Amino acid sequence: MSGHSKWATTKHKKAVIDARRAKSFAKLIKNIEVAAKIGGADLAGNPTLVDAVQKAKKTSVPNDNIDRAIKRGAGLTGESVEYTTIMYEGYAGGGVALMIECLTDNKNRAAAEVRVAMSRNGGTMADPGSVAYNFSRKGVVSITKADGVDEDAILEAVLDAGAEEVVDQGGGFEVVSEPTDLVAVRTALQEAGIDYDSAEAEFVPNLKVEVDLETARKVLKLIDALDDLDDVQNIYANYDIPDEVQAQLDEDE
């Protein structure tokens, strides 16, 4: 029986990963469509589209899907792309603040699904503005650690481009800047031959809340539930997981 159970568990995990991969593709495609609609299909003149395409390629979205999304968003196929960005605010367990960014073609559906996910997973909705003060809008470029790419090399490349700090995240680095300096920072990294995973304007927490193991499990369960929603594009939170708690979470996997 143990062999069968192990196989069933593995099969289930693969199904979950495949489903998330498909949802991730859909969200990345949506980003490309919106960027192309706002700034046009020409990559040379649309840095937001460049970043959306870069992120999609890093996640192995097929080139044909990317090309179709650009054309569809730019109106070159005769199709109409209409999405609205909505930001919801709330709290997870332990007073962890959440900013939930939706990109949707149906505001009522998005609102209902976010509320259900929050209530079923220990979260509470908050009034607009009551959570947002915990975050600042920043440009964030993510870089995976690789041979020859260390903090000093990154700092040297981005210092004159407006970068505010380089943060070591364990498996990679984040270069933080003002959103208006994001393109300059990204360009400086390219010119220095440093590959990056994504470059986006994000909500970065001003102050983080340290969580224990039980709270971390609850917060991550809620974030997973929100991330599973098709309309949810990004989730920003101000939790901080200590190393010893992270080690215990890794054992849960």
Side-chain angles (χ1 to χ4, degrees), residues 50-177:
V50 169
D51 293 332
V53 168
Q54 163 92 349
K55 191 172 182 182
K57 287 185 174 180
K58 286 283 185 180
T59 319
S60 302
V61 177
N63 286 332
D64 285 351
N65 295 37
I66 292 172
D67 292 340
R68 280 197 298 271
I70 292 172
K71 289 174 182 174
R72 191 161 54 243
L76 303 178
T77 62
E79 299 172 78
S80 177
V81 175
E82 295 294 339
Y83 293 118
T84 302
T85 299
I86 312 168
M87 190 68 73
Y88 296 104
E89 300 177 31
Y91 290 98
V96 171
L98 297 175
M99 300 275 287
I100 306 152
E101 186 177 10
C102 293
L103 193 57
T104 182
D105 56 3
N106 186 323
K107 289 191 281 187
N108 292 334
R109 179 189 67 220
E113 289 184 347
V114 167
R115 287 182 184 280
V116 168
M118 290 284 279
S119 63
R120 286 183 178 172
N121 294 278
T124 54
M125 300 297 290
D127 293 332
S130 59
V131 167
Y133 74 90
N134 288 295
F135 298 83
S136 297
R137 193 72 164 165
K138 294 290 184 180
V140 179
V141 182
S142 299
I143 303 165
T144 299
K145 284 187 177 177
D147 290 340
V149 179
D150 58 20
E151 192 169 342
D152 289 340
I154 295 170
L155 266 172
E156 187 178 342
V158 300
L159 209 51
D160 292 335
E164 295 177 353
E165 61 176 336
V166 176
V167 183
D168 189 335
Q169 298 284 15
F173 298 101
E174 284 187 349
V175 183
V176 181
S177 70

Side-chain angles (χ1 to χ4, degrees), residues 149-230:
V149 179
D150 58 20
E151 192 169 342
D152 289 340
I154 295 170
L155 266 172
E156 187 178 342
V158 300
L159 209 51
D160 292 335
E164 295 177 353
E165 61 176 336
V166 176
V167 183
D168 189 335
Q169 298 284 15
F173 298 101
E174 284 187 349
V175 183
V176 181
S177 70
E178 287 300 318
T180 49
D181 292 323
L182 183 59
V183 174
V185 169
R186 180 187 57 119
T187 302
L189 288 168
Q190 288 174 324
E191 290 174 350
I194 298 173
D195 193 23
Y196 66 92
D197 296 318
S198 64
E200 297 177 279
E202 300 181 3
F203 285 96
V204 176
N206 300 319
L207 189 65
K208 291 189 175 183
V209 176
E210 190 171 292
V211 294
D212 59 21
L213 181 60
E214 197 54 43
T215 302
R217 284 175 177 150
K218 290 176 180 176
V219 170
L220 294 177
K221 182 187 175 193
L222 171 57
I223 288 174
D224 276 348
L226 289 166
D227 194 45
D228 277 343
L229 301 179
D230 291 340

